Amino acid sequence: MLPAMDAGHGTRGRSDPPPSVSDPVLDDPSAMALALDEARAAPAHGDVPVGAVALVDGLVVASRHNERELTGDPTAHAEILALADAATAVGTWRLSDVTLVVTLEPCPMCAGALVAARLGRLVFGAADPKAGACGSLYNLCADPRLNHEVPVTAGVRADEAAALLTGFFAERRS
Ligand SMILES: [Zn+2]
C-alpha cells in the first residue's frame, strides 16, 4: 500500500523540499518571454533583435542575443552563442537533453549547428521566409539525409518576435 502522499496532487509531505522559487520550470511561452527579453538587448549595440535561451528540464542554462555587430563575428548569432554556453553548462557538445528557444526561425548556419549538436528540441517564434532553414527555405531539422533530426515547435509568440524585428528595421530606415 502506497502512502497517501503519493496518491495525488496537493498532498505534499512535510519532509518534501519546498518548490524552488528562483528556478521556475518554464513552459514554451514563458521561455520565449525570456528569449524576447534577450532579443530586446541587441539593438543597444546595433544588432538585429534576435534572442535565444537554452533549457534543460525546463531550467535556463544559457541566454544570449545576436552579437554580430558587437563582435564583428559573422557566426555570432544568438543560437550559436547559446549553444556554446549550453555545452559549457552541461559539460558536453552533445545537447540531446537541451531545448533551444529562439525568437526567429534559425538560418542555415544555425540549423546546421543544431543538427551537429544533436539538439533535443527547437522552439522558435517568427518564421523567416528570407533565410529560415527550419521549414521556410529549407528544413535542415527534418532531413532524413542528415544524421540527426530535431523536433521543432514553431510559432510560439511569433507576433511579438516579428514586431520586434519590424520595429528595429523601421527605426533604422527612418
Ligand atoms: Zn543563424
Side-chain angles (χ1 to χ4, degrees):
M1 185 78 183
L2 289 170
M5 59 184 278
D6 288 343
H9 303 289
T11 53
R12 295 176 55 83
R14 285 175 189 275
S15 61
D16 287 3
S20 170
V21 289
S22 59
D23 290 330
V25 173
L26 299 173
D27 60 11
D28 290 350
S30 304
M32 186 62 78
L34 296 181
L36 287 162
D37 283 345
E38 271 294 329
R40 289 185 187 99
H45 41 77
D47 273 293
V48 177
V50 178
V53 296
L55 303 104
V56 175
D57 295 333
L59 303 178
V60 174
V61 297
S63 181
R64 298 297 294 265
H65 57 263
N66 186 15
E67 294 185 357
R68 199 171 43 173
E69 298 294 339
L70 179 68
T71 61
D73 177 355
T75 71
H77 291 191
E79 299 96 310
I80 301 290
L81 299 172
L83 283 181
D85 281 4
T88 300
V90 303
T92 172
W93 62 268
R94 189 183 290 274
L95 303 183
S96 48
D97 293 332
V98 172
T99 295
L100 189 76
V101 179
V102 56
T103 56
L104 181 66
E105 181 182 356
C107 73
M109 172 182 73
C110 291
L114 305 183
V115 173
R118 316 287 195 269
L119 188 76
R121 182 168 167 253
L122 171 71
V123 177
F124 72 81
D128 184 355
K130 289 183 179 162
C134 299
S136 289
L137 290 186
Y138 308 95
N139 196 345
L140 297 179
C141 289
D143 189 326
R145 295 169 297 179
L146 298 175
N147 63 356
H148 179 74
E149 296 191 22
V150 181
V152 177
T153 302
V156 176
R157 305 183 82 136
D159 292 350
E160 291 163 80
L164 264 183
L165 292 163
T166 308
F168 175 79
F169 288 112
E171 196 154 300
R172 233 168 42 162
R173 276 194 301 271
S174 66

